[in-house]
Amino acid sequence: MAGAEMKPLVKVGGLGDVIGSLPKALVKLGVDVKVFLPFYGSIDTKKFKTKVLKKNIKLDIDTRAHSFDLYETKLLDAKVKICLIKHKNFNAKDIYVGSRKYFKKGAYAKKKGAYSRNVDDVERFVFFSKAVVESIRVMKLQPDVVHCHDWHTALIPTFIDEYNFKDKNFANISSLYTIHNLANQGIAGLDITDYAGLHHDLTPAIMEDYHDQDGGKIDSMKVGILSADYINTVSPNYAKEILTKEYGASLEKYLGRRKKHLSGILNGIDIHSFDPETDKAIKKRYDNKTFTAGKAKNKEDLQILSKLEKNDLPLFGLVTRLVSQKGLDILLPALESLLKKYDFQLVVLGTGQKEFEVGFKALAKKYPKKVRANISFDINLAQKIYAGSDFFLMPSKFEPCGLGQMIAMRYGAIPVVRSTGGLKDTVVNNKTGIVFKKYTQKEMKKSLEAALRLYKNKAKFKKIALAGMRKDFSWNASAKEYLKLYKKLK
Ligand code: GLC
């Protein structure tokens, strides 16, 4: 497996959660998994002890000779082996994921320099992808399947093809490409293919549409879609949606061509780290029998911490990257108008686009007893919000899977979501949450009002919250589906 993030070593969003938890579930099913990750300067090597596997591995890339070192580490609580690719591309500390700096500089960006932010990133991950394939060669690993995730590792299938010319062992390796989010595609100038040191031409399909007047562009996501043996996305519903113009992010045509080799597998969550019965980050641990008292205590704790008035008003939580995908442009104005009319509270946690950071800060300033805006990245506070909220907001414009709604249900916070992507697959209106269809402010407002009404009906409120808590969102079922897919590809 190869990817850009893996919790708890390094995480920005859901991708990190998935690569941090799916391998554990696979190991339990008897799969021998090795995860490849860049050796970021921000990885805590005191916590995660590393060991050199091999130094000075030569890489045929960028016309100059490059070399990297390969390290090994382990997850503390599992048998998952992790291989870290060490190269100066990834040394910087400020890629520290989740910090505000990170968002200001762009995903995984190294520094502002000669390249635009995006190109710089693409170059770094092309390097990483090729280094993964070279590691497979020099370490004589014989994987049945290489499972890559999102645009960062989308060139791996192409490199495997390339290696196949000189080393026939590569003919036995199949590739699976998982799309976590079509919104980020890793687009760069065509010269990135020279940088990649490819000795064969990319297929005409991959090059299609990209010879424009700027000298051409290459879209890493598209390369992954067209070149992997099989592709999947992170929920069955998103797998269907991305074939349409509305959700295809201009790649629907290519996804359509791969329809026979495309499916959706719902993400799981790590039910051990997200467990209100054992969670050390929350004030009072609880289960479905102690729900009412447990939630009340955690809510009080969250109110104190957030400097909100202590009361029994409905409390909404929002934990997310503050980006437009998350539906914040309909949420903010809806909240503005409802806060004038009704009494309820809101605790926000996240960083992201300036307009939303500013928007939530302004709301908190206007309603200090009702709204708290934490513009930061804080894993412990996130758990406290799941445990202390009555409702959890996720009105996404699109949502490949979404993990927040599943975590919220596990903590008995009722999700208020839009019916899209994985949200549609995981939340049932009136049974486990409040679901609305149309992406409009009006619908958003109506759903918030429905939540306020539901809160007054204590019996129904509890019934829905408990139904969510009882849902099984573990990896058990989905890891088996991945295993089935690996076997099919073998
Ligand atoms: C991305 C998607 C999110 C998904 C996650 C993990 O962050 O936006 O919907 O849950 O990847 O697959």
Side-chain angles (χ1 to χ4, degrees), residues 13-15 18 180-181 234 267 321 325-326 399-403:
L15 175 66
V18 171
H180 293 262
N181 201 333
V234 288
N267 283 333
R321 289 178 288 127
Q325 174 194 342
K326 302 293 177 180
E399 195 60 75
C401 177
L403 305 173

Side-chain angles (χ1 to χ4, degrees), residues 190 206-212 215-219 222 251:
L190 208 52
I206 287 173
M207 300 315 291
E208 203 178 292
D209 289 352
Y210 282 95
H211 292 289
D212 59 21
K217 293 258 187 303
I218 193 136
D219 180 322
K222 179 180 162 193
L251 295 177

Side-chain angles (χ1 to χ4, degrees), residues 58-300:
K58 296 271 171 298
L59 195 63
D60 172 20
I61 201 163
D62 190 17
T63 58
R64 281 177 291 131
H66 270 275
S67 63
F68 65 94
D69 302 334
L70 195 60
Y71 283 74
E72 186 183 54
T73 185
K74 268 198 325 207
L75 281 190
L76 302 177
D77 56 345
K79 293 200 192 88
V80 179
K81 281 168 254 160
I82 303 166
C83 291
L84 300 168
I85 304 273
K86 190 163 174 65
H87 183 264
K88 61 177 182 343
N89 275 350
F90 297 103
N91 281 351
K93 277 255 193 264
D94 67 0
I95 41 150
Y96 181 68
V97 196
S99 70
R100 291 193 65 198
K101 222 175 187 174
Y102 152 78
F103 276 106
K104 290 231 170 79
K105 289 198 169 184
Y108 319 103
K110 180 177 59 174
K111 60 175 195 270
K112 288 187 193 128
Y115 295 102
S116 80
R117 210 154 70 180
N118 213 1
V119 175
D120 192 14
D121 261 1
V122 177
E123 186 186 294
R124 295 168 73 215
F125 283 102
V126 166
F127 184 97
F128 171 66
S129 298
K130 193 164 192 178
V132 169
V133 180
E134 180 62 21
S135 303
I136 293 174
R137 193 184 70 80
V138 296
M139 299 305 284
K140 299 191 172 57
L141 304 175
Q142 292 189 312
D144 296 306
V145 180
V146 174
H147 183 171
C148 19
H149 299 263
D150 267 356
W151 72 264
H152 320 94
T153 50
L155 256 66
I156 287 184
T158 299
F159 287 128
I160 292 177
D161 285 349
E162 167 98 6
Y163 273 61
N164 190 18
F165 288 123
K166 49 182 184 200
D167 185 336
K168 288 299 162 208
N169 279 334
F170 279 83
N172 301 322
I173 304 179
S174 303
S175 55
L176 171 64
Y177 179 56
T178 300
I179 300 168
H180 293 262
N181 201 333
L182 275 185
N184 307 313
Q185 301 183 352
I187 295 172
L190 208 52
D191 50 359
I192 197 79
T193 55
D194 294 334
Y195 172 83
L198 287 171
H199 300 292
H200 74 287
D201 290 332
L202 290 168
T203 64
I206 287 173
M207 300 315 291
E208 203 178 292
D209 289 352
Y210 282 95
H211 292 289
D212 59 21
Q213 59 277 37
D214 304 331
K217 293 258 187 303
I218 193 136
D219 180 322
S220 311
M221 178 66 86
K222 179 180 162 193
V223 177
I225 290 168
L226 289 171
S227 58
D229 292 314
Y230 198 92
I231 15 176
N232 83 305
T233 73
V234 288
S235 71
N237 187 41
Y238 190 61
K240 283 192 233 148
E241 285 178 343
I242 57 176
L243 297 172
T244 65
K245 195 166 180 342
E246 187 182 355
Y247 290 101
S250 77
L251 295 177
E252 60 277 6
K253 173 164 110 193
Y254 305 104
L255 288 157
R257 285 187 202 164
R258 302 290 331 260
K259 217 166 133 184
K260 283 205 184 96
H261 298 100
L262 163 68
S263 66
I265 301 179
L266 191 71
N267 283 333
I269 55 169
D270 185 341
I271 55 163
H272 304 293
S273 41
F274 297 113
D275 183 356
E277 254 187 277
T278 55
D279 191 338
K280 292 202 180 73
I282 65 178
K283 185 80 180 175
K284 174 108 187 129
R285 296 192 260 287
Y286 60 99
D287 59 15
N288 43 12
K289 284 185 212 80
T290 51
F291 167 83
T292 307
K295 288 293 286 186
K297 192 79 203 153
N298 285 306
K299 182 167 170 177
E300 190 189 274

